[in-house]
Amino acid sequence: MTATPQHLLDIGSAPLATLHAILDRAQRLLDDPREAAGLLEGRLLMNLFYEPSTRTRVSFEVAALRLGMRVVNIAAADSSVKKGETLFDTFLTLQAMAPDVLVLRHPEDGAPLSLADAAAPGLHLVNAGDGSRAHPTQALLDALTLRQHFDDLGSIRVLVAGDLHHSRVTRSGVALMKKLGVGEIRLAAPPGMQAGPQVSEGTRVFDDLDQALEGVDAVMMLRIQRERLAGMEAPDAASYHDRWGLTPKRLGRASAHCIVMHPGPMNRGAEIDSSVADGERSVIVQQVRNGVFVRMATLLHLLGA
Ligand code: NCD
């Protein structure tokens, strides 16, 4: 048996048994939400967010509340970070108030790793996205969504398309799909936005969305990460959409049962048409719902409940 890790920082460092346990528990909670009531009664979760978030922050909060936890939300923009306090000092300050779980979102790659080394034994860190490096709970909710639609992940083709280079969703998502043995992973991105060699290894790489879509069972569209382009000029929405937007016509190249995924936030009219985002193949709302249950399962797993 593998020991339960103290933190969830990225997919690479999480034991496969932990990832499976979280996915299985999340599905059981979805099937019978009563199973969860009060399991973490009175425990304390802090959400520390240095970047904007709607789905991730709220779903950690809802997950914690459904388990009976108490929640404190700290937006860095309203905190002493504005007075020059470092992430590390902010962490030590919050840790002194003895939360059971600290959920961190931060723009720097690797930010939660340095904190993990200084974490007290009773504190569990969950990475809610660091720079363009990792976003493990997003990968888990996406994998849960795939499992709900396909019995055998080993026989499906999944395409991830858009700004892969700047995307932590790509890094964690592809890492998890590889660990779970997804049959074929395809990556498609415009010039300058392709994934690096480590992510691309073992995948099929395309530079054309139409070709990449041929016969896929699932497609995950990603927005351009404008906040991470570092000097690179961002294309305007209309010209990007011409070559990289998922339209009903393009989706016609995929298999008849292909599901459409997007982690959000969507830029309608850029990487995805409204008619596709709201269409019958879209599972985008289901992904959001799954996010709450994956985060409940993550909290239960880390806290041993
Ligand atoms: C993603 C993120 O923050 O990495 N959003 C999310 O958590 N659902 C994707 C994005 O911002 O594009």
Side-chain angles (χ1 to χ4, degrees):
M1 258 200 68
T2 330
T4 304
Q6 184 178 346
H7 312 297
L8 179 62
L9 302 178
D10 46 49
I11 294 297
S13 65
L16 188 58
T18 288
L19 301 168
H20 276 300
I22 293 172
L23 289 170
D24 293 345
R25 187 76 181 270
Q27 187 59 54
R28 287 204 302 279
L29 291 168
L30 260 159
D31 295 340
D32 183 7
R34 283 168 309 176
E35 202 218 310
L39 281 180
L40 294 179
E41 196 71 53
R43 312 291 287 269
L44 180 62
L45 177 140
M46 291 183 178
N47 264 326
L48 175 59
F49 276 61
Y50 283 74
E51 280 189 350
S53 172
T54 302
R55 277 152 288 267
T56 305
R57 193 197 62 72
V58 177
S59 67
F60 269 109
E61 183 166 0
V62 171
L65 293 174
R66 290 218 170 133
L67 294 167
M69 297 181 83
R70 287 149 203 249
V71 179
V72 174
N73 288 303
I74 308 112
D78 307 328
S79 73
S80 287
V81 169
K82 281 278 162 211
K83 301 181 191 168
E85 192 161 44
T86 63
L87 170 63
F88 196 70
D89 285 333
T90 305
F91 169 74
L92 292 179
T93 301
L94 297 177
Q95 176 161 259
M97 300 182 211
D100 298 283
V101 179
L102 181 69
V103 179
L104 176 72
R105 169 166 287 190
H106 197 277
E108 262 169 51
D109 287 20
L113 304 179
S114 52
L115 305 188
D117 294 336
L123 175 70
H124 302 274
L125 270 171
V126 182
N127 182 7
D130 59 326
S132 52
R133 198 189 72 92
H135 193 353
T137 56
Q138 180 70 42
L140 283 159
L141 75 89
D142 290 337
L144 182 64
T145 309
L146 287 172
R147 278 190 6 171
Q148 289 163 347
H149 287 270
F150 303 103
D151 291 336
D152 176 18
L153 295 188
S155 65
I156 63 168
R157 296 185 184 125
V158 181
L159 167 64
V160 187
D163 179 5
L164 308 183
H165 183 74
H166 303 99
S167 166
R168 54 196 176 208
V169 175
T170 303
R171 270 185 198 79
S172 284
V174 171
L176 183 54
M177 287 194 283
K178 286 178 184 170
K179 275 193 165 186
L180 297 178
V182 164
E184 184 178 306
I185 303 168
R186 296 186 185 179
L187 303 178
M193 296 185 179
Q194 277 116 355
Q198 205 193 341
V199 177
S200 305
E201 194 190 339
T203 71
R204 283 185 69 192
V205 175
F206 294 77
D207 57 11
D208 179 278
L209 182 57
D210 291 285
Q211 284 171 14
L213 278 162
E214 214 63 63
V216 294
D217 302 290
V219 52
M220 187 188 305
M221 298 306 296
L222 300 174
R223 75 180 172 96
I224 296 177
Q225 302 274 305
R226 289 180 191 275
E227 67 275 39
R228 292 185 230 288
L229 293 185
M232 183 181 156
E233 204 183 320
D236 65 89
S239 53
Y240 185 79
H241 178 266
D242 278 350
R243 284 209 57 195
W244 291 97
L246 188 60
T247 60
K249 182 159 176 253
R250 285 205 165 109
L251 187 55
R253 292 173 173 267
S255 74
H257 57 253
C258 176
I259 59 168
V260 175
M261 303 169 71
H262 194 306
M266 284 187 277
N267 290 145
R268 290 169 183 256
E271 76 274 8
I272 191 162
D273 270 22
S274 271
S275 59
V276 175
D278 304 327
E280 57 180 16
R281 311 271 196 85
S282 170
V283 297
I284 296 168
V285 174
Q286 186 184 350
Q287 286 173 272
V288 176
R289 180 170 152 76
N290 283 339
V292 172
F293 291 90
V294 154
R295 289 169 180 128
M296 286 167 75
T298 299
L299 297 173
L300 288 168
H301 188 77
L302 293 179
L303 294 175

